[in-house]
């Protein structure tokens, strides 16, 4: 699959796709911006995302990084519900600020026929220091002919 600059799914299409396919978590996330090979989105932080001490939990931070990598991939390849995470490495670097959304900035580093690789930085809204960074690989289902 050649690296294309054409976005096949914009923010509205990705949001509708999430509501259709992942309705159980779709409302936890909002997409701020989609560009070729990039997405900025947020975890709309709620009480259910917090751990003792009032900070955002690691699993919630992982979910944001994972969804950002998934959606930046789909933005470029179109709706593929069965694209799946095959690898993730995440570093938690700072305690996220309490009471604000978490922002993900994801960049698609490689897009092939079978795999995509993304890098995701997570920030507390209003802060320029990342709270976590992740690298994720997604397996892309084969195109049926």
């Amino acid at each position: 699959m050649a690296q294309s600059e054409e976005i096949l799914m914009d923010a509205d299409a990705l949001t509708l796709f999430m509501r259709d396919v992942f309705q159980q978590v779709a409302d936890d996330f909002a997409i701020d911006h989609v560009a070729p090979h990039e997405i900025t989105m947020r975890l709309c932080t709620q009480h259910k995302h917090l751990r003792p001490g009032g900070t955002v939990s690691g699993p919630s931070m992982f979910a944001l990084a994972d969804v950002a990598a998934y959606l930046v991939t789909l933005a470029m390849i179109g709706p593929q519900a069965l694209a799946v995470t095959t690898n993730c490495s995440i570093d938690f670097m700072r305690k996220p600020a309490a009471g604000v959304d978490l922002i993900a900035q994801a960049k698609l580093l490689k897009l092939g026929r079978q795999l995509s690789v993304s890098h995701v930085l997570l920030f507390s809204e209003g802060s320029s220091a990342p709270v976590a960074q992740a690298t994720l690989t997604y397996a892309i289902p084969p195109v049926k002919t």
Side-chain angles (χ1 to χ4, degrees):
M1 181 178 297
Q3 291 275 350
S4 170
E5 294 301 313
E6 181 183 354
I7 297 170
L8 298 182
M9 296 180 78
D10 64 11
D12 291 338
L14 291 167
T15 299
L16 288 173
F17 178 82
M18 283 292 289
R19 288 189 179 139
D20 184 45
V21 178
F22 294 106
Q23 63 274 3
Q24 68 273 31
V25 296
D27 290 335
D28 288 352
F29 305 99
I31 300 168
D32 295 340
H33 178 74
V34 179
H37 309 285
E38 297 181 9
I39 194 168
T40 302
M41 58 181 298
R42 67 185 55 234
L43 172 68
C44 304
T45 307
Q46 302 169 40
H47 180 73
K48 69 182 179 178
H49 300 118
L50 304 181
R51 57 167 281 122
T55 188
V56 178
S57 71
S60 295
M61 293 167 61
F62 170 83
L64 176 58
D66 191 40
V67 170
Y70 181 62
L71 294 182
V72 74
T73 299
L74 296 188
M76 301 309 295
I77 68 170
Q80 295 284 336
L82 297 180
V84 295
T85 310
T86 60
N87 189 57
C88 176
S89 174
I90 188 166
D91 297 301
F92 301 102
M93 301 183 293
R94 292 177 182 77
K95 180 179 175 181
V100 298
D101 288 349
L102 277 186
I103 308 298
Q105 294 176 344
K107 293 185 186 273
L108 197 54
L109 301 176
K110 180 187 185 300
L111 180 60
R113 285 177 293 139
Q114 297 177 333
L115 297 174
S116 72
V117 179
S118 300
H119 181 252
V120 183
L121 287 172
L122 302 181
F123 300 87
S124 294
E125 186 170 36
S127 175
S128 62
V131 298
Q133 71 91 31
T135 304
L136 294 100
T137 303
Y138 261 82
I140 299 168
V143 176
K144 295 180 182 179
T145 56

